[in-house]
Structures are given as C-alpha cells and as structure tokens.
Amino acid sequence: MKKKSILIVPFLLLIFCLGEINAQPEIIAHRGYWKTEGSAQNSIAALLKADSIEVYGSECDLWLSSDGVPVVNHDATAIANGKKITVEESPLAILKKVTLANGESLPTFEEYLDAFEKCKNIKLIIEFKTHKTKERENELAEKVINSVHKRNLADRVEYISFGMNFVNQVIRLDPSAKVYYLNGDLTPEELHAIGAAGIDYHYNVIYKHPEWVKSAHDLGMKVNVWTVNKREDIEKMIDLKVDYITTDEPLLVREIISEKK
Ligand code: MG
C-alpha cells in the first residue's frame, strides 16, 4: 500500500502540472459573432452564429426602455425613423423601429432569450449598461434576473458591468450568479471582498498590472480581458494566463490558441 501511494503522489503532481501548462483561455464573442455575413452587433443572428462556432460565450448589452422593457443594444443612442433617439428615454414602440445593420429590428431581451434557449454551446454574457438613475438600474437587473430564472437559464448566464451598482445588485438578487466588473480601477482583492467572480478589464489594464492575474487566481477568481482583436495582444494575453478573451475576432483567437498548444 505504501509503495502505491509513493507512486501516486508524483503521478498526480504530473497531471496537475500538465493541466496548468495546457490551460488555455476560453473565447467570448463580443456583441455576438458579428463580423460574418448576415450578422450585426447585438443581433439575434450574432448570438446564433456565436453558438454555431462553439465559443465559450456570446456577450450582449442591455438597456431598459422608458416603458420598462429590457432591450439589447450597445450604444446609448440609436436611429429610429431617421431620427436620433436615446435608448433609455424611448418606449419600446419607438425602439422597435430601429433597424440593425443586418436588417433585424432591435431585439428585446425576451426575444434574445427565445433564441438563446435554442443555443447548444454557449453561455450568455450579459452586460448591464449604466443608466441615469440607480432606480432604473435596479429595475433592469431585477427584470433580467427574473426572466433568466423563470426560463431555468441561470447556470448558462454570467453578468458584467462598468457600474458597481449593477455588480452589487446581481450579488444581492442572485448570490450564486457570476458577476465581473469592467471598469479596471479595483484590485482583485477589493472585488473578492464584495463577492464578484473576477475581473473583466481592458487588456491595457492587464499590461499595467500583470500581477493581478495571479492575485485573482490565488483568490479563486477568474480574469477576462476585452476587446482583444490584434494578434500581438491576443498572444500576450494568452501568455499572461488570462481565463477568458473577449474579442470581435473569435476565429483568430482560436487559431492563435491552437498554434500555442
Ligand atoms: Mg458590451
């Protein structure tokens, strides 16, 4: 028995070390996989196309319409009937007149979830955009988290935000959900103290603080970086051992990861 355990220990150590060496980041398609025919940023097509290339996740951006409906769009403004509108100050009837670059109308979050339910491979990474008041942010977080739970999708959804109010709301409303902070100004230790799952920072922040990758990992947290599109930066982020790369170029990131294996 003793001899056996003497052999098992180095064997387990070897497996552990190989796992560490081969750990490669997962890919998140920024605003879906949109740099492909028939797609557009934050469109339902971009979500389905991200699923078809089997990346880890597809990111989208959420706003609350003036009449209280969660909708998917990146910018704070959009064009409806040739006029510039502010998304959070417009009712759904106006927002539905916004046409995306691929001809889709601006999707509601419920429409997005209808499509996401059909996806087989990806997680949905939801970014809460910062709104004009905390009350509106709280309403959006509550509505979105309720919808996700009603559809039994909680284990397939993660949350991100530049707004600390949203990070706190997610932790309050769904303590088991993963939420990452985007703004780059807090250390992994500070975010660990409030219960965030990790940091999701611009890659320049990680260039400046490469030591944050290890501090996050030591605390059991993950590191995501955005929006990494150039070969040089992708290679450096892989070498720095981040866990997730958010990108507009998911196939390029995949190619570079397989070159480095
Ligand atoms: Mg976003």
Side-chain angles (χ1 to χ4, degrees):
M1 280 304 276
K2 252 191 182 172
K3 258 189 192 169
K4 256 190 194 167
S5 56
I6 287 167
L7 286 172
I8 284 168
V9 172
F11 178 70
L12 289 177
L13 269 176
L14 179 70
I15 299 271
F16 177 76
C17 291
L18 283 175
E20 284 291 291
I21 291 161
N22 290 328
Q24 298 288 353
E26 300 275 9
I27 302 165
I28 295 171
H30 181 237
R31 306 179 195 172
Y33 179 31
W34 57 272
K35 279 193 169 182
T36 183
E37 218 191 313
S39 194
Q41 296 186 10
N42 277 310
S43 64
I44 285 173
L47 173 73
L48 299 175
K49 282 174 190 288
D51 190 55
S52 75
I53 57 168
E54 300 187 14
V55 286
Y56 173 84
S58 185
E59 188 252 6
C60 67
D61 303 283
L62 293 198
W63 290 96
L64 189 68
S65 73
S66 65
D67 49 352
V69 181
V71 296
V72 183
N73 195 60
H74 179 266
D75 292 354
T77 59
I79 304 292
N81 294 333
K83 264 180 65 187
K84 191 173 172 183
I85 56 160
T86 298
V87 175
E88 69 165 308
E89 290 171 358
S90 306
L92 183 64
I94 299 293
L95 292 170
K96 269 295 173 195
K97 300 211 158 84
V98 175
T99 308
L100 308 185
N102 66 345
E104 277 180 43
S105 68
L106 185 148
T108 64
F109 180 57
E110 291 298 328
E111 289 166 344
Y112 222 70
L113 284 184
D114 288 342
F116 179 58
E117 279 182 336
K118 295 181 202 130
C119 292
K120 295 199 164 56
N121 305 299
I122 47 169
K123 291 198 187 273
L124 185 60
I125 315 299
I126 293 173
E127 178 178 347
F128 287 119
K129 305 305 282 187
T130 47
H131 286 57
K132 287 180 178 159
T133 66
K134 279 191 178 180
E135 289 68 30
R136 304 248 313 141
E137 292 186 347
N138 298 355
E139 185 182 340
L140 176 60
E142 227 162 275
K143 284 182 168 165
V144 165
I145 289 172
N146 280 343
S147 293
V148 165
H149 277 264
K150 228 185 248 171
R151 292 175 186 247
N152 287 321
L153 293 170
D155 57 346
R156 293 176 56 199
V157 171
E158 298 176 12
Y159 301 92
I160 59 177
S161 189
F162 282 94
M164 191 44 81
N165 181 50
F166 274 120
V167 173
N168 288 323
Q169 287 306 311
V170 174
I171 292 165
R172 181 180 71 84
L173 295 163
D174 186 357
S176 61
K178 288 184 179 152
V179 58
Y180 296 81
Y181 178 63
L182 295 166
N183 206 36
D185 57 333
L186 294 178
T187 64
E189 289 78 7
E190 285 169 314
L191 286 164
H192 185 257
I194 64 152
I199 55 174
D200 186 355
Y201 286 171
H202 189 272
Y203 57 88
N204 279 337
V205 176
I206 300 301
Y207 279 144
K208 217 172 143 193
H209 291 286
E211 76 282 3
W212 283 1
V213 177
K214 189 176 182 307
S215 355
H217 289 165
D218 287 349
L219 291 162
M221 299 167 87
K222 299 283 189 189
V223 178
N224 190 346
V225 280
W226 51 271
T227 302
V228 198
N229 295 331
K230 287 192 199 134
R231 171 172 277 274
E232 189 195 346
D233 297 316
I234 294 165
E235 287 181 348
K236 283 185 180 150
M237 289 301 121
I238 295 170
D239 293 343
L240 284 168
K241 300 200 181 320
V242 303
D243 302 288
Y244 305 100
I245 292 179
T246 300
T247 181
D248 295 317
E249 304 285 356
L251 299 184
L252 175 64
V253 175
R254 175 172 287 161
E255 188 186 306
I256 296 170
I257 288 173
S258 64
E259 284 168 15
K260 281 184 165 279
K261 267 183 190 165

